[in-house]
Amino acid sequence: MAFQRPTLQELIDRIQGDFVSRLALSGAVLRRSVVYVFSRVWAGAAHMLHGHIAFIARQVFPDQSEAEYL
């Protein structure tokens, strides 16, 4: 089974859930709260890293790599 790259929304939901559980928040996360902003920023960074890893993984195979990586 191949690794499935999580979508940006999945990463946001995971990270926001982690913040809520670890901080023991009882109410909903408001749109302008620190938890909301941090979860989106961390998810964006993780999504970018997942994309970079996927790009590097494609460069391993000659039929999928770009000319400069051959």
Side-chain angles (χ1 to χ4, degrees):
M1 183 173 140
F3 177 76
Q4 295 295 321
R5 180 179 172 194
T7 64
L8 180 59
Q9 189 59 48
E10 289 173 347
L11 290 170
I12 291 170
D13 293 340
R14 283 185 203 172
I15 293 171
Q16 191 170 351
D18 288 343
F19 271 123
V20 168
S21 67
R22 295 194 187 266
L23 295 175
L25 300 176
S26 58
V29 177
L30 300 177
R31 187 165 185 226
R32 294 187 179 183
S33 67
V34 172
V35 170
Y36 181 85
V37 173
F38 279 170
S39 63
R40 294 185 73 82
V41 169
W42 280 102
H47 192 261
M48 181 189 66
L49 290 173
H50 279 286
H52 185 68
I53 291 170
F55 172 77
I56 296 299
R58 282 192 309 271
Q59 304 314 310
V60 172
F61 302 105
D63 60 336
Q64 295 180 349
S65 67
E66 295 181 7
E68 61 192 40
Y69 290 96
L70 285 173

